[in-house]
Amino acid sequence: MLYEILAKLQRKSQISLLKKHPNVSFKGIKLGISDHFILHENVKKVTIGNGVSFRNYVHVLVQQNATLEIGNNFFMNNFCSINCLDSISIGDNTLFGENVKLYDHNHAYQTHPDFKLSHAEFTTAPIRIGSNCWLGSNVTVLKGVTIGDNCIIGAGCTIYKDVPSNTTVINHQELIFKEH
């Protein structure tokens, strides 16, 4: 009973955060348990369509001057995350399986004269996901990718290049069985 009360208060807190932000607009969203939105005070724009549902333990980060656009009837399953430093758009009627991750950025690094990895500087490029797409469990979409309309991305895929509309992508791996 106490857990249900706390979960309800947490959902109200996240809705309140979205409502108070001057650059956020949304119509009708449904939040699950322990969803977490981190929105920089100077985001460029966040729009969330009607009939959007975030299941449980979802994490959404939108940094300064970034844009996040989510279409109507979008569904995000448990443990998914959106990490937006540049621009991410997701079309209507798209759904994510569990643990889908979107990253529109990489850490900046150099290899000459010495290898250096930056913890605070990033390279960025927009992510665009079309309408009527299904991203299966454990899919990761990297910066600069466009996924066309009507695509299915199979479980476990890492998408690092564009996917044309009306395409199914599968993670082709061989299972090797050895007798002991």
Side-chain angles (χ1 to χ4, degrees), residues 3 11 31-36 54-59 75-80 98:
Y3 180 76
R11 283 192 290 271
L31 297 180
I33 297 167
S34 294
D35 292 340
H36 195 192
F54 298 95
R55 185 105 3 117
N56 303 313
Y57 307 102
V58 166
H59 180 84
F75 173 76
M76 181 180 273
N77 212 329
N78 301 318
F79 302 105
C80 290
E98 288 191 340

Side-chain angles (χ1 to χ4, degrees), residues 83-112:
N83 299 276
C84 182
L85 275 58
D86 184 351
S87 176
I88 296 177
S89 68
I90 302 167
D92 295 339
N93 305 309
T94 289
L95 62 92
F96 288 2
E98 288 191 340
N99 202 39
V100 170
K101 310 291 184 197
L102 307 182
Y103 301 100
D104 70 352
H105 61 281
N106 286 336
H107 287 274
Y109 66 92
Q110 70 179 37
T111 57
H112 279 122

Side-chain angles (χ1 to χ4, degrees), residues 1 11 32 116 120 151 163 175:
M1 177 77 167
R11 283 192 290 271
K116 290 184 184 175
C151 288
V163 177
L175 296 178

Side-chain angles (χ1 to χ4, degrees), residues 1 11 64 75-76 101 124 127 140 160-161 171 177:
M1 177 77 167
R11 283 192 290 271
Q64 181 175 356
F75 173 76
M76 181 180 273
K101 310 291 184 197
T124 65
I127 291 174
T140 300
Y160 58 92
K161 60 184 178 179
N171 184 2
F177 295 92

Side-chain angles (χ1 to χ4, degrees), residues 6-24:
L6 291 174
K8 188 173 184 179
L9 288 173
Q10 193 269 340
R11 283 192 290 271
K12 283 185 178 184
S13 169
Q14 291 298 294
I15 293 288
S16 177
L17 170 87
L18 293 170
K19 283 181 179 178
K20 288 179 184 177
H21 200 288
N23 296 331
V24 174

Side-chain angles (χ1 to χ4, degrees), residues 14-84:
Q14 291 298 294
I15 293 288
S16 177
L17 170 87
L18 293 170
K19 283 181 179 178
K20 288 179 184 177
H21 200 288
N23 296 331
V24 174
S25 66
F26 65 96
K27 294 179 182 172
I29 66 172
K30 183 176 177 183
L31 297 180
I33 297 167
S34 294
D35 292 340
H36 195 192
F37 291 82
I38 301 172
L39 307 174
H40 191 277
E41 64 186 41
N42 294 322
V43 299
K44 192 178 290 182
K45 177 173 73 168
V46 175
T47 58
I48 301 172
N50 196 24
V52 171
S53 181
F54 298 95
R55 185 105 3 117
N56 303 313
Y57 307 102
V58 166
H59 180 84
V60 176
L61 167 70
V62 185
Q63 282 290 31
Q64 181 175 356
N65 298 318
T67 299
L68 173 63
E69 297 173 293
I70 298 174
N72 296 318
N73 303 312
F74 169 71
F75 173 76
M76 181 180 273
N77 212 329
N78 301 318
F79 302 105
C80 290
S81 67
I82 295 174
N83 299 276
C84 182

